[in-house]
Amino acid sequence: MNSKKFVFYASLAVSLGLISIGVFMPNQLEHFSNSSLNFIYNNLGWFILGSVFIFFAFCMYIGLSKFGHIRLGDDSDRPEYKTATWIGMLFSASIGISLVFWGVAEPVSYYIDPPFGKGSSEESAKLAMQFVYLHWGVSAWACYALVGVSLAFFQFRKKLPASLSSVFYPLIGDKIRGPFGKVIDVVVILSIVIGIATSLGFGTLQVNSGMNVLWGLPVNINTQAIIILVVTFIYVASTVSGLQGAMKHLSNLNMLLAFALLGFVLFLGPTQTIFKIFFQGVGDYVQNFVSMSFRTEPYSDGSWIASWTLFYFGWWIAWAPLVGSFVARISKGRTIKEFMMGAVFIPVLGSFFWFAVMGGSAIHLIQNMGETALATAVSTDVTSALFKFFEYFPMGVFLSILAMVLVLIFFITSANSAVFVLGMISENGNPNPAHKTKIIWGIVIAAISVVLIMTGGLAGLQSALVATAVPLAALMLIMCYSTYKGLKGELLLLSKETSKESEEQVVNIKKKPAAKKA
């Protein structure tokens, strides 16, 4: 077999093999995945929590220290995308679709069943926003930023292939091009394929649920298959057009629609209460960030932390190769400090405000307005939570349609970025992969999504993805050391170049002939 195609064929074969297990033995896969997940939660939860905190600390260190001025590229490079477009692409490629899905459902779920204390109370309302902010805050984005900054540095500054194995160059040198590097790339591709397939599967279920609420369309595999087919055609076509084309325009459209939806709910809903919830939530989050980040509940069964906090942190780690690779691709020319401030804090503030508007309004309706039917609807079916929430607003049908369009576009941009990253890694770090490779991965992802929905294997594969968080976390901890070593070597190189330039200037000054006296 052609060694240049090894990563592509090997990852494709493994992906299809695992999916076949999901097709023919979905119950066994789900049982194995859940067993693995329970083992991790009971024995290695502390490792996941500690790793995520280290990722955040490392990102802040290299962003605010002497490494911060290093540019992700040559010193003469400047950002390829405007900051607003760059931020829009960050959201579109990563958690945009998840924000829409969980914007109402998650805060209300925590309000009903808080991590501690009495549910459906004023205290549980505060705890709901506090823990939502923990799960979607700097901890999540630090996982993406770590992979993104590491890959961007080695790809654009050190001119290595756009592949995650390149990050380990300071430790193993040219072995990144050998079997070790290829194994890393295959594992990364596998996590990306499973991650994007499960995410798109959940997105399809939400769109189908919205269509059922609005127009009575049946919730079944036929409707869901048609949704996936239409979306697949769009995202494959947009991927082929390239980042400068459809991806850029779709990301900008995403942000406009998201702002429009936020604006409607903000001004049609309890505006003053939303701002109070936002500021209260941010304050509680900042005040309790460290204690929440290390909360393991050793004196109880820890089921809530396992079901939510550990699951989310594992999910962010599992998604880090995909989102980090894409973030690296669009961040050429930015300094590390600029990258960290933009890739960690700006998206976090946007996510916090989204949950304050959507989730905060929903809790207000239940807690202050007595609309307990909304809580019941969320408990019954999280996929329809957003659309049930809009029934309490003027122009509810319009808001639901706007939300579905937003989900579909996030759907497209998430798949778009995934297919692009899969193409890059499959072709040994080619920053502009062939259309054929991207089309193949686009079709594979769509097929996997349909198969998982048909067989009910979506939950099992989702658990399998999170179970990969432990080896990926270990790999990312090594990545921290490797990146630090690479950055330290770069500073030393820059220092030598500066000293050499200074010596040359002194020599040139001495060589200049003295001016003749008149």
Side-chain angles (χ1 to χ4, degrees), residues 64 105 108-109 136 163 165 178 260 280 301 320 350 390 476:
L64 299 175
V108 173
S109 297
W136 297 80
S163 179
S165 55
Q280 175 79 47
D301 64 355
F390 287 143
M476 289 166 66

Side-chain angles (χ1 to χ4, degrees), residues 72-249:
L72 301 174
D74 297 330
D75 290 333
S76 58
D77 287 338
R78 291 298 178 268
E80 188 176 359
Y81 300 98
K82 293 181 180 178
T83 301
T85 300
W86 181 60
I87 293 171
M89 294 171 81
L90 289 177
F91 270 106
S92 300
S94 51
I95 65 172
I97 191 170
S98 300
L99 284 174
V100 179
F101 188 95
W102 289 108
V104 170
E106 188 172 340
V108 173
S109 297
Y110 296 173
Y111 167 75
I112 298 169
D113 179 25
F116 53 86
K118 181 182 177 182
S120 301
S121 63
E122 181 181 346
E123 182 63 24
S124 71
K126 291 174 61 178
L127 283 174
M129 299 310 299
Q130 184 176 318
F131 275 86
V132 164
Y133 285 2
L134 170 69
H135 298 158
W136 297 80
V138 295
S139 302
W141 287 92
C143 296
Y144 301 158
L146 168 62
V147 176
V149 76
S150 301
L151 187 54
F153 171 73
F154 288 103
Q155 178 184 348
F156 299 126
R157 186 81 183 185
K158 309 308 289 185
K159 312 305 180 187
L160 292 172
S163 179
L164 211 63
S165 55
S166 297
V167 174
F168 301 96
Y169 186 84
L171 302 180
I172 61 175
D174 288 332
K175 290 181 180 179
I176 61 168
R177 298 179 174 88
F180 178 80
K182 294 186 186 303
V183 168
I184 291 177
D185 291 338
V186 170
V187 171
V188 168
I189 287 178
L190 186 62
S191 71
I192 292 173
V193 169
I194 296 175
I196 197 65
T198 50
S199 181
L200 297 187
F202 285 121
T204 300
L205 295 178
Q206 187 177 35
V207 171
N208 193 182
S209 180
M211 291 178 170
N212 175 261
V213 171
L214 292 174
W215 303 304
L217 289 178
V219 178
N220 57 34
I221 184 58
N222 294 329
T223 307
Q224 292 156 5
I226 292 172
I227 293 171
I228 291 177
L229 184 65
V230 172
V231 171
T232 300
F233 176 80
I234 297 173
Y235 77 66
V236 168
S238 63
T239 302
V240 171
S241 74
L243 287 174
Q244 290 286 4
M247 185 64 181
K248 174 181 176 180
H249 298 304

Side-chain angles (χ1 to χ4, degrees), residues 7-90:
V7 172
F8 173 71
Y9 288 121
S11 55
L12 187 61
V14 174
S15 299
L16 295 177
L18 286 178
I19 301 311
S20 297
I21 297 174
V23 173
F24 298 110
M25 295 184 292
N27 294 331
Q28 290 88 336
L29 174 64
E30 186 167 0
H31 176 73
F32 176 77
S33 300
N34 289 335
S35 298
S36 302
L37 210 56
N38 288 332
F39 175 81
I40 291 170
Y41 289 162
N42 294 329
N43 299 282
L44 295 171
W46 59 269
F47 176 71
I48 293 177
L49 294 178
S51 296
V52 171
F53 191 84
I54 290 172
F55 300 155
F56 171 68
F58 178 77
C59 288
M60 292 302 95
Y61 169 67
I62 65 172
L64 299 175
S65 68
K66 55 188 177 182
F67 301 122
H69 73 274
I70 296 176
R71 197 168 290 278
L72 301 174
D74 297 330
D75 290 333
S76 58
D77 287 338
R78 291 298 178 268
E80 188 176 359
Y81 300 98
K82 293 181 180 178
T83 301
T85 300
W86 181 60
I87 293 171
M89 294 171 81
L90 289 177

Side-chain angles (χ1 to χ4, degrees), residues 247-313:
M247 185 64 181
K248 174 181 176 180
H249 298 304
L250 283 172
S251 298
N252 288 334
L253 178 59
N254 257 353
M255 296 304 292
L256 290 175
L257 291 177
F259 280 127
L261 189 61
L262 272 182
F264 275 112
V265 178
L266 178 63
F267 293 109
L268 293 175
T271 308
Q272 295 298 326
T273 302
I274 287 172
F275 281 108
K276 290 179 181 178
I277 290 171
F278 174 68
F279 281 96
Q280 175 79 47
V282 171
D284 290 340
Y285 169 69
V286 172
Q287 183 179 0
N288 299 286
F289 172 69
V290 175
S291 61
M292 289 191 299
S293 296
F294 290 102
R295 185 181 178 85
T296 57
E297 295 187 346
Y299 308 113
S300 64
D301 64 355
S303 58
W304 196 96
I305 294 297
S307 300
W308 289 105
T309 303
L310 289 177
F311 182 86
Y312 264 121
F313 280 17

